[in-house]
Amino acid sequence: MAKFCPECGKELKENSNICENCGKRMEEKANTNVSVNNTVYVQKKTNGFAIAGFVISLVSIFCCGGTAWLGLVFSIIGLVNANKSDGEGKGLAIAGIVIGAILLLLLVAFYSLGFVTSFAESFDGGYSGGYYY
């Protein structure tokens, strides 16, 4: 089976590490190339960290943001991996970072608001403006 360049799709020589057409350097772990009727299909590795980060960030919406930090960490690792592997999974990683960051900011804002409110009530003597009976 012939090998093809994942960048330009041209057929590579048998033991070539560089594409003669576009100059792309071939990795040790080459993508699996399938040729059907002179059409080249390149199977790329999936970016597991990007997928996991996006899913965890999305699930943390329903968990009141408790796992948003984990989704943010996985998404950042997924984005770094996407930049190393020609952008595979970059969109999911960025979406996971955005969702995770927004949830973390909201979580910090709500906790801060609760802390300030309880701190202010301690100076008030617990009086909340209602009637005493």
Side-chain angles (χ1 to χ4, degrees), residues 65-76:
T67 58
W69 65 272
L70 188 61
L72 190 61
V73 169
F74 273 81
S75 295
I76 290 171

Side-chain angles (χ1 to χ4, degrees), residues 82-131:
N83 288 334
K84 290 180 183 176
S85 65
D86 296 330
E88 192 66 28
K90 191 173 186 176
L92 284 175
I94 291 172
I97 289 171
V98 169
I99 294 169
I102 289 172
L103 286 174
L104 274 178
L105 289 174
L106 286 173
L107 195 64
V108 168
F110 287 137
Y111 277 129
S112 299
L113 183 64
F115 176 75
V116 169
T117 304
S118 67
F119 189 70
E121 284 182 4
S122 67
F123 284 115
D124 239 1
Y127 179 68
S128 61
Y131 293 104

Side-chain angles (χ1 to χ4, degrees), residues 6-97:
E7 188 72 27
C8 66
K10 296 290 182 180
E11 187 173 351
L12 300 172
K13 291 187 177 179
E14 191 165 323
N15 292 323
S16 178
N17 289 335
I18 298 175
C19 177
E20 292 178 355
N21 185 49
C22 68
K24 170 101 173 145
R25 185 171 197 86
M26 300 300 120
E27 297 178 9
E28 292 290 324
K29 300 176 187 174
N31 294 327
T32 305
N33 299 329
V34 180
S35 177
V36 178
N37 296 331
N38 292 329
T39 303
V40 178
Y41 300 96
V42 179
Q43 291 180 323
K44 294 185 178 181
K45 294 186 328 182
T46 58
N47 189 339
F49 280 106
I51 295 169
F54 175 72
V55 169
I56 292 171
S57 293
L58 204 58
V59 167
S60 67
I61 292 172
F62 303 108
C63 297
C64 300
T67 58
W69 65 272
L70 188 61
L72 190 61
V73 169
F74 273 81
S75 295
I76 290 171
I77 293 171
L79 184 61
V80 170
N81 287 345
N83 288 334
K84 290 180 183 176
S85 65
D86 296 330
E88 192 66 28
K90 191 173 186 176
L92 284 175
I94 291 172
I97 289 171

